Amino acid sequence: MFRAERPQPAPVPADTSARWHRDREEPPPGVLAPAALAGLAALTALWPFTAVIAPGTWSFVATVVIIAVVGVGALVRHLLRRRSEGVAGLLALLAQIIVAVGVLTLLLAGDTAVAGVVPTSATLGRFQALAAAAAEEIVFGSAPLEASPGLAAALGAGFAVVAILLDLLIVNRSAVLTTVLMGVTGAVPMIITLGAPNLGWFAAAAVVALLVFRFTARRHPESPRRSSPGVAVAVGAAALATTFVVTPLLPVGSTITGTGVGVTVDASLRLGDDLRQPSPVEVLTVAAKADAAPYLRLTTLSRFDGRVWQPDRGDLQSQVDGFGEPEWGDDITTAEQTTSIRVLRMSSSWLPLPYPATDVEGLSAAWRVSPENRTLFSRRADAVGNDYTVTSLRVTPTLEQIRAAEAAPPLEDAEGEDVELPGIISELATEVTADEETDYDRLIALQDWFRSQFEYSLETPVDEGFDGTGADAVARFLEERSGYCVHFAGSFALMAESLGMQVRIVVGYLPGSPTDEKRGDESIFSVSSDQLHSWPEVLFPGIGWVPFEPTASLGVPTAFRAGTTGGGTGGSPATPAPTTAPQTEETSGPEVERRDADAGSTDSGELRRLDPTPVLLAALGVVVLLLLPALVRVVERRIRMRRAARGDAAAAWAELRDTLIDLRIAVSDADSPRMRAAGLVRDAGADEAALGRLIAAVERANYARASDVEDDLGGPLQSVLVSLRAHVDGSTRARAVLLPRSLYAPRGSDTRLLV
């Protein structure tokens, strides 16, 4: 039996390589290393934001704030290095907050501050306005957002907080929390935009995380004197393999049915990048009883400031309160229709609806109704993944009715400034409509002129430098006579407004393509990302908002037929009168050539069937991540077993100790090898003979003179490990394999048995 006596050490140990633990904590590393790591981690977290915000002063502001925060923290800790860590840390934190406020004030509101850095009440008012502007841009903007002072203030303040927290965590050796904060912050742009993963950023973040772990681990008094290159390589390889192999395969922002996100739509007319995607994807499916699906609208824009069309943001109300009062009179024929919509790959704060919607089912209360334009909006929910049914009306005035009505005059904006438009807009509007007598006929003349005299092109606006929605871009479009839906809709709207009519622009989708699939008596239509569209509407009192389709070669031009209505919803026209929404049964121009969509947007009957591939890939990714600790532990054990087979007592003892931790067997670093061995034989069923050989090898390595004799310790070590595992229950063995505690348990003086 083993005796508990502690053997007397030799005066000079012959082999220092067997001392695998540090005897004391290393001297403080100084202040530059943690500050540099904190700054590097903060800048790494900042990198993904460059993909969702256009270049501008915001990146300069955020970078300066990060450098200033970590720099002043290092300086204060250096000056107070003889004080206690608590006092130095608290004063460093206060200094960082003061410097962050001063830098932000100097860069963004220096003219309102004392000496440019001391905030005043005017400074606070400036930052409140900037915060409100930033919130509005984030909620209603689309990536990439235009750089603005509001975003610069928001990101500067945000990364000041991030830099302070990272600096505090690294100084206090919290490597895990540091990595989590850096990763979560950097992932925010990808999560919000539901975009593809940035593999370069993932690799850079992994390198920074390894540096942070390396730095914090070396400061621990019980960390190894010698790190295992094999284990480090295995961990790094596993992490990079997960990043570059599994991550690209996962369905980012997908639902359980495996639907990813193909486009992000907001309340703007910046649709060019989405329409120019090389491989359009299916974003919606529509089920309807009609032979053609309706146009679907997301939101409307009716205020033009000379540069952009501003979205309509009226009051919101609950779905139970309905969609508002009808804009059409009782003498206008209407017919009720039902449309089921499933959002697959479109992220937006608005839901696509046919117009005019009167009721909706299948949505959460987070979606609110905007009665001003009969749309659905949510500040906290996303469109992707929603499946709902909309009741709407088919409003069909006759040609006589709409010719008899005058278009509503433009609204006067008392607070807005007058916009001076290029003369070509009103001149052409007057010229094109000179022979018409009614407002409706003037609008039809404009529609026909655009569709016959212009051509559809996604590239001309880019090549000629007018790919925008401003007044100057409209003037260039009217000269070049080539563009896409944004330019057609914007030009039509401004020309109609110059004729004294109230207009607005709709952002939505063209009717989908029919598929072979049926759902009862409903046909299924597929809507792809390149069917994102915009079109103008003009308000006719007593009839409502009437859409027009000026875009050459797309949709169907609006046209009403003569007929006599019986009045009300129960009447029917003597001659069929079409809906005011353009349909897809016929076209007056050639269909624009569209690129083939990928396999996810085919018109086959697979629209509502579960595609198992994304689910399987997601499951594979989860399994790999869950098994990563077990794989790392297996690699570590094999490396130690090989070293033990060559006679490395330190490796054998380290593996024994970690196995005890994994199996939740009490471990105390205060015990000598013989004392620990005696306890293991007595309490844990260890193989006494094999353990004796290990103890002898450890004692020789620590106390005997150097020897060329190498004893194979692999067999004894394996026997001891097998006997220890046999002594614990099955659940403990399973936890030891799947979640090895030795990878994260601290190497303290006493690791107690956890039950």
Side-chain angles (χ1 to χ4, degrees):
M1 293 292 293
F2 292 102
R3 296 164 54 186
E5 297 89 25
R6 189 182 302 273
Q8 295 298 321
V12 179
D15 186 4
T16 59
S17 65
R19 293 178 295 170
W20 53 87
H21 287 253
R22 302 181 189 276
D23 299 324
R24 59 185 176 80
E25 187 170 359
E26 286 192 346
V31 296
L32 292 181
L37 278 176
L40 181 61
L43 292 174
T44 302
L46 177 66
W47 174 12
F49 287 83
T50 59
V52 297
I53 304 177
T57 57
W58 69 270
S59 56
F60 173 76
V61 171
T63 302
V64 170
V65 168
I66 290 172
I67 295 174
V69 164
V70 299
V72 75
L75 178 62
V76 171
R77 291 190 183 93
H78 176 71
L79 296 176
L80 301 178
R81 61 189 181 279
R82 300 187 183 279
R83 299 288 184 91
S84 66
E85 290 186 4
V87 173
L90 179 60
L91 293 178
L93 176 61
L94 293 175
Q96 287 174 322
I97 295 174
I98 293 173
V99 167
V101 172
V103 170
L104 288 173
T105 302
L106 177 65
L107 295 178
L108 299 171
D111 57 329
T112 65
V114 178
V117 295
V118 181
T120 63
S121 58
T123 306
L124 296 179
R126 172 77 61 85
F127 276 107
Q128 287 178 351
L130 291 175
E136 181 175 345
E137 291 171 18
I138 293 171
V139 171
F140 296 103
S142 63
L145 297 174
E146 295 293 333
S148 66
L151 290 177
L155 288 168
F159 275 92
V161 175
V162 170
I164 291 174
L165 292 176
L166 288 172
D167 183 65
L168 183 64
L169 291 172
I170 291 177
V171 168
N172 288 276
R173 298 190 304 225
S174 297
V176 174
L177 293 179
T178 299
T179 304
V180 169
L181 177 59
M182 177 183 66
V184 169
T185 304
V188 165
M190 288 175 277
I191 294 172
I192 291 178
T193 61
L194 299 171
N198 185 337
L199 297 184
W201 175 79
F202 274 105
V207 172
V208 174
L210 290 176
L211 292 175
V212 171
F213 274 98
R214 173 76 172 173
F215 171 80
T216 57
R218 294 188 65 181
R219 312 267 65 83
H220 199 288
E222 294 294 327
S223 61
R225 286 183 181 272
R226 297 182 304 167
S227 61
S228 172
V231 173
V233 170
V235 173
L240 291 178
T242 302
T243 299
F244 288 104
V245 177
V246 177
T247 302
L249 301 177
L250 296 179
V252 179
S254 65
T255 65
I256 191 64
T257 57
T259 58
V261 171
V263 63
T264 299
V265 184
D266 62 11
S268 74
L269 289 180
R270 289 176 289 186
L271 311 182
D273 291 339
D274 295 316
L275 293 173
R276 283 186 285 265
Q277 285 184 354
S279 298
V281 296
E282 183 184 50
V283 293
L284 308 170
T285 59
V286 178
K289 294 181 180 179
D291 295 333
Y295 274 58
L296 299 177
R297 68 182 52 214
L298 290 163
T299 188
T300 60
L301 308 93
S302 61
R303 291 175 293 122
F304 184 67
D305 62 6
R307 296 186 306 107
V308 295
W309 287 87
Q310 301 293 336
D312 296 323
R313 298 169 189 158
D315 295 334
L316 301 177
Q317 63 189 34
S318 172
Q319 297 173 36
V320 298
D321 295 329
F323 283 79
E325 297 298 322
E327 299 94 6
W328 51 93
D330 294 338
D331 58 332
I332 303 299
T333 300
T334 61
E336 188 174 88
Q337 58 185 5
T338 300
T339 308
S340 296
I341 302 169
R342 185 185 182 205
V343 183
L344 301 176
R345 296 179 178 89
M346 184 202 72
S347 172
S348 178
S349 296
W350 285 263
L351 283 174
L353 299 173
Y355 181 82
T358 58
D359 190 28
V360 64
E361 297 178 355
L363 295 174
S364 69
W367 293 98
R368 309 274 290 174
V369 173
S370 174
E372 179 181 338
N373 55 6
R374 294 179 178 267
T375 59
L376 283 170
F377 172 78
S378 177
R379 291 187 173 88
R380 62 179 187 272
D382 194 277
V384 66
N386 280 285
D387 196 339
Y388 51 99
T389 300
V390 184
T391 301
S392 60
L393 294 179
R394 228 175 123 88
V395 181
T396 54
T398 63
L399 179 60
E400 292 83 0
Q401 287 175 322
I402 197 167
R403 275 180 169 170
E406 292 185 357
L411 293 177
E412 296 292 336
D413 188 355
E415 299 180 357
E417 298 180 358
D418 292 336
V419 178
E420 184 176 351
L421 300 177
I424 189 175
I425 296 176
S426 59
E427 292 170 4
L428 282 176
T430 302
E431 177 183 338
V432 171
T433 62
D435 297 333
E436 309 302 333
E437 297 181 358
T438 68
D439 286 343
Y440 171 74
D441 289 329
R442 294 186 185 96
L443 294 170
I444 292 298
L446 283 177
Q447 176 181 263
D448 293 343
W449 179 69
F450 276 111
R451 294 183 67 88
S452 61
Q453 301 297 319
F454 288 66
E455 65 177 13
Y456 185 95
S457 173
L458 290 170
E459 307 305 330
T460 300
V462 178
D463 296 339
E464 300 299 329
F466 64 91
D467 192 14
T469 60
D472 293 337
V474 169
R476 285 293 308 279
F477 168 70
L478 293 175
E479 294 172 356
E480 299 292 338
R481 300 199 174 189
S482 180
Y484 54 95
C485 61
V486 167
H487 306 95
F488 284 94
S491 300
F492 184 102
L494 291 180
M495 293 175 76
E497 193 171 50
S498 73
L499 296 174
M501 306 182 195
Q502 184 177 341
V503 298
R504 69 185 182 188
I505 295 177
V506 183
V507 175
Y509 282 96
L510 289 164
S513 304
T515 70
D516 296 332
E517 187 177 357
K518 293 284 186 179
R519 193 182 68 177
D521 57 351
E522 293 181 326
S523 300
I524 304 299
F525 301 85
S526 174
V527 181
S528 61
S529 57
D530 62 347
Q531 290 180 297
L532 188 62
H533 193 48
S534 62
W535 62 92
E537 291 183 333
V538 178
L539 179 61
F540 283 81
I543 296 176
W545 287 95
V546 178
F548 292 84
E549 184 57 279
T551 303
S553 75
L554 285 184
V556 176
T558 295
F560 294 96
R561 298 172 184 172
T564 304
T565 64
T569 59
S572 60
T575 302
T579 176
T580 56
Q583 296 295 304
T584 57
E585 292 91 334
E586 53 188 2
T587 175
S588 64
E591 287 296 325
V592 65
E593 181 180 353
R594 295 289 188 180
R595 302 176 179 89
D596 291 335
D598 61 11
S601 59
T602 62
D603 289 338
S604 64
E606 301 295 325
L607 294 179
R608 290 183 177 266
R609 297 176 187 171
L610 175 64
D611 179 8
T613 303
V615 179
L616 293 177
L617 292 176
L620 175 61
V622 172
V623 170
V624 170
L625 293 176
L626 291 177
L627 292 180
L628 190 58
L631 295 175
V632 172
R633 187 69 180 90
V634 168
V635 172
E636 182 182 53
R637 182 180 300 110
R638 289 186 176 180
I639 293 173
R640 288 173 174 171
M641 293 295 290
R642 290 173 184 170
R643 291 172 57 187
R646 296 193 297 267
D648 191 333
W653 192 252
E655 179 57 31
L656 174 61
R657 183 185 186 280
D658 284 354
T659 299
L660 294 175
I661 295 175
D662 293 341
L663 295 174
R664 313 300 174 102
I665 298 175
V667 176
S668 175
D669 287 342
D671 293 340
S672 67
R674 282 189 173 269
M675 292 176 64
R676 181 174 300 176
L680 292 178
V681 171
R682 181 181 64 251
D683 302 326
D687 186 324
E688 183 175 359
L691 190 55
R693 290 182 60 185
L694 292 181
I695 296 303
V698 170
E699 290 176 344
R700 281 198 307 271
N702 277 298
Y703 309 122
R705 294 182 180 278
S707 173
D708 295 333
V709 179
E710 292 185 355
D711 189 10
D712 182 358
L713 302 178
L717 176 59
Q718 183 65 32
S719 298
V720 173
L721 299 184
V722 170
S723 62
L724 291 173
R725 295 190 187 101
H727 191 72
V728 299
D729 56 52
S731 61
T732 301
R733 287 196 298 270
R735 282 187 294 175
V737 172
L738 298 176
L739 191 62
R741 189 169 175 265
S742 59
L743 294 181
Y744 60 88
R747 295 172 180 253
S749 61
D750 191 13
T751 304
R752 295 297 182 188
L753 174 64
L754 299 180
V755 181

